[in-house]
Amino acid sequence: MEGQESPEKKASSCSPSPAENRSCSAVETGSDGADNKTTSIKEEEEEKLSLITWNVDGLDGEDQPERARSLCSYLISYSADVVLLQEIVQPYMRFMHRRLADTYTFIKGGEEGYFTMMLLKKSRLTLLNSEIVIFPNTHMGRNLLIAQVMFRGQKLLLMTSHFESCKSGSAERMRQLRLVMKRMSEAPDDETVLFGGDTNLRDYEVATVGLPSSVCDLWEQLGEPEKCRYTWDTQANTNKDIPFKCHFRFDRVYLRRASRDGVPRLDPHSMALIGLEILKCGLFTSDHWGIYSKFSVE
């Protein structure tokens, strides 16, 4: 990876726009053009928390400069409060840091090989602390990255991970899910907990482990919209040359609301798949679609 041409050394022809995506929303908002309506909608949107989670496939060196620049274009365009990334490598991280460090606080889940990373918008979130929890039985160096933050006076516990990959990793993947669910459910009742990441989970694995009653799946809460179901789809996304076509809901967002009386609650508002535009280099930004989601404050 280090021996390849770095992203900043090659100009990119990729400039994706968030105007078109697969959006699934619990509440639709609009404007009739009146100034007071526009102001009201703007204030309402500022109340919401926005989040992106995305496996960006930094391990793949093919057309890496174009894809890295495309990733930054998406992040700048969507301007999410929280960005949770998987399969980050050092060249990607350095490239992103030069362009986004003024806007975001960077938290890395590792240093060697590939790792996870959080970006927290400085104008909206205050970082209190962070930690890395190693999965004790992983064979792939996987871990859980956690950050405690303040958002508009509310405590949030943010989590991201890249669970064990491949069919053979099923048992370890379910152990990792159990650990994450335990950490989410045992968090203090005045904290809202959000997890987003590449879980590599199959539906039967989730059913086997089960989710705590306090934890909900964003996609399920929004009515299981079909157009937002699959985040890894080898028929629609041709980045990988795979002889068989398949699709999975590998990338997931989980929410555990704060339960203490008087503490604001986050509720799922909308989700959309991003990264659907094919770039001029002939590839998509990643072999995964990203998830862009919003949460309303109750």
Side-chain angles (χ1 to χ4, degrees):
M1 194 72 191
E2 292 288 351
Q4 297 173 6
E5 183 180 15
S6 62
E8 63 270 24
K9 289 183 179 178
K10 184 176 179 183
S12 171
S13 56
C14 311
S15 54
S17 166
E20 295 183 2
N21 54 37
R22 299 176 185 173
S23 180
C24 312
S25 176
V27 179
E28 295 295 335
T29 59
S31 172
D32 58 7
D35 289 344
N36 60 342
K37 181 73 171 180
T38 301
T39 301
S40 175
I41 291 174
K42 183 177 180 181
E43 291 175 350
E44 181 182 337
E45 288 302 305
E46 288 179 352
E47 290 284 333
K48 295 183 178 70
L49 176 80
S50 55
L51 179 149
I52 287 175
T53 182
W54 203 347
N55 179 327
V56 299
D57 195 22
L59 288 170
D60 188 348
E62 186 174 0
D63 286 299
Q64 184 194 80
E66 287 86 347
R67 294 191 300 109
R69 191 177 296 274
S70 171
L71 171 62
C72 285
S73 294
Y74 274 111
L75 299 185
I76 291 169
S77 296
Y78 280 92
S79 191
D81 299 315
V82 178
V83 179
L84 310 174
L85 302 175
Q86 304 85 46
E87 282 196 28
I88 287 289
V89 292
Q90 288 289 351
Y92 258 52
M93 192 276 295
R94 292 193 296 267
F95 179 77
M96 294 172 62
H97 193 269
R98 278 192 284 273
R99 287 152 180 80
L100 300 172
D102 288 343
T103 304
Y104 288 98
T105 298
F106 282 59
I107 307 172
K108 293 181 290 182
E111 295 286 347
E112 303 296 328
Y114 62 97
F115 45 89
T116 60
M117 189 164 68
M118 289 188 187
L119 278 62
L120 309 175
K121 186 180 282 187
K122 294 177 180 179
S123 62
R124 300 266 287 171
L125 299 166
T126 301
L127 174 65
L128 301 179
N129 57 66
S130 64
E131 66 173 314
I132 297 172
V133 178
I134 303 298
F135 292 133
N137 299 303
T138 180
H139 296 289
M140 300 179 177
R142 306 295 169 81
N143 59 36
L144 174 64
L145 178 60
I146 303 175
Q148 185 184 50
V149 305
M150 292 293 292
F151 170 71
R152 301 179 68 85
Q154 180 181 1
K155 290 181 184 177
L156 302 179
L157 201 62
L158 305 173
M159 301 181 177
T160 190
S161 185
H162 183 188
F163 287 180
E164 215 80 355
S165 304
C166 305
K167 188 176 181 179
S168 61
S170 179
E172 172 57 17
R173 191 159 50 243
M174 288 191 285
R175 281 193 289 268
Q176 293 167 0
L177 177 61
R178 289 188 184 97
L179 186 153
V180 169
M181 290 299 113
K182 185 173 187 292
R183 293 295 296 252
M184 291 187 74
S185 61
E186 293 181 352
D189 63 1
D190 65 336
E191 291 184 347
T192 294
V193 189
L194 277 169
F195 170 93
D198 177 4
T199 68
N200 280 307
L201 286 166
R202 282 66 168 169
D203 289 340
Y204 77 88
E205 295 170 342
V206 179
T208 299
V209 173
L211 300 183
S213 59
S214 59
V215 177
C216 68
D217 182 309
L218 173 68
W219 178 74
E220 293 176 354
Q221 286 288 296
L222 292 174
E224 302 185 357
E226 189 64 25
K227 62 184 177 181
C228 294
R229 179 188 293 266
Y230 301 116
T231 62
W232 197 73
D233 185 342
T234 62
Q235 182 169 353
N237 188 313
T238 54
N239 277 24
K240 302 297 184 186
D241 185 16
I242 297 177
F244 58 92
K245 301 302 178 184
C246 58
H247 46 221
F248 292 97
R249 193 163 69 92
F250 283 159
D251 306 88
R252 302 184 183 220
V253 178
Y254 292 121
L255 166 68
R256 197 223 66 176
R257 299 173 178 90
S259 59
R260 184 178 297 182
D261 290 343
V263 176
R265 288 162 48 93
L266 284 188
D267 281 319
H269 175 272
S270 61
M271 70 181 294
L273 299 185
I274 62 174
L276 305 176
E277 296 83 12
I278 196 163
L279 309 177
K280 290 184 179 180
C281 54
L283 297 175
F284 295 92
T285 305
S286 172
D287 62 329
H288 287 243
W289 308 137
I291 298 174
Y292 173 66
S293 55
K294 288 185 178 182
F295 297 85
S296 57
V297 180
E298 189 179 278

